[in-house]
Amino acid sequence: MNAENTVVIIPFSSDLKEPIKTLNIEWLTKYFKIEPKDERVLSNPQEEIIDKGGMIFYAKYNDVIVGTVSLIKMNDTEFELSKMAVTDGLQGLGIGKKLMEHCIKAAGEKHLEKIIIYSNRKLATAIGLYEKYGFKEIPLEDGVYERADIKMEKRI
């Protein structure tokens, strides 16, 4: 990336409702399937994430939204890092790292105690990213996502 092609992280706004859905559906259909919970949250990000106290961020590259991530409120001190996706062909440019760093910073500013992530071990690159940022594996409860076979947390 050169200076004019830098990635900028911007917050969700009502006119940016679609990218969270299109980016995540692209990712989910490539690796897994779209679960009913995904469809509900991605179709109604304002109601399902923002209005419940969560946050959605987008990565903008060359004036195009190419990545997204959400912090979904579980309770006052714990949020789930979820719905992270970077458009195909742009992985490896550090967009996921920028999104992750932004989430960790936002969590610190909100005085959260921890961030949790549900993932799948076949996503080795993603698991490596989470570990790099201090996420540790913890016991996984049943029934959150069919595709999840690992749960991780980071204390803030």
Side-chain angles (χ1 to χ4, degrees):
M1 286 188 285
N2 58 35
E4 45 293 341
N5 295 337
T6 55
V7 174
V8 179
I9 307 299
I10 61 170
F12 175 86
S13 59
S14 55
D15 61 318
L16 290 175
K17 179 185 169 195
E18 279 308 302
I20 187 173
K21 186 171 185 176
T22 54
L23 287 164
N24 273 280
I25 286 176
E26 174 188 322
W27 178 86
L28 285 166
T29 54
K30 180 177 180 178
Y31 294 103
F32 302 103
K33 69 177 186 176
I34 299 164
E35 297 180 27
K37 181 178 180 178
D38 299 316
E39 183 62 43
R40 186 180 71 251
V41 171
L42 296 173
S43 295
N44 305 292
Q46 178 76 44
E47 298 83 356
E48 294 292 328
I49 299 173
I50 302 295
D51 293 350
K52 293 179 179 179
M55 298 168 266
I56 300 170
F57 304 108
Y58 290 119
K60 225 174 154 176
Y61 178 68
N62 289 343
D63 287 324
V64 178
I65 303 290
V66 298
T68 186
V69 67
S70 301
L71 284 172
I72 298 174
K73 184 175 182 176
M74 310 296 285
N75 58 53
D76 287 341
T77 60
E78 180 179 342
F79 280 53
E80 176 190 355
L81 190 146
S82 185
K83 308 301 178 231
M84 181 185 256
V86 174
T87 197
D88 252 356
L90 292 180
Q91 287 95 352
L93 295 179
I95 296 168
K97 289 177 189 169
K98 276 202 128 162
L99 287 165
M100 177 66 75
E101 288 166 3
H102 193 84
C103 283
I104 292 169
K105 183 177 178 227
E109 289 169 357
K110 290 256 185 207
H111 306 291
L112 302 182
E113 290 177 12
K114 64 182 170 178
I115 302 172
I116 61 165
I117 294 174
Y118 294 94
S119 193
N120 187 290
R121 294 176 198 283
K122 80 177 186 182
L123 302 173
T125 304
I127 301 291
L129 176 70
Y130 306 148
E131 289 173 340
K132 177 181 176 187
Y133 284 95
F135 285 84
K136 307 275 187 232
E137 185 174 352
I138 59 172
L140 173 68
E141 70 274 27
D142 287 334
V144 179
Y145 296 101
E146 286 178 37
R147 64 182 168 269
D149 67 0
I150 185 171
K151 181 180 181 181
M152 302 176 86
E153 76 173 16
K154 175 179 176 63
R155 298 221 167 249
I156 304 297

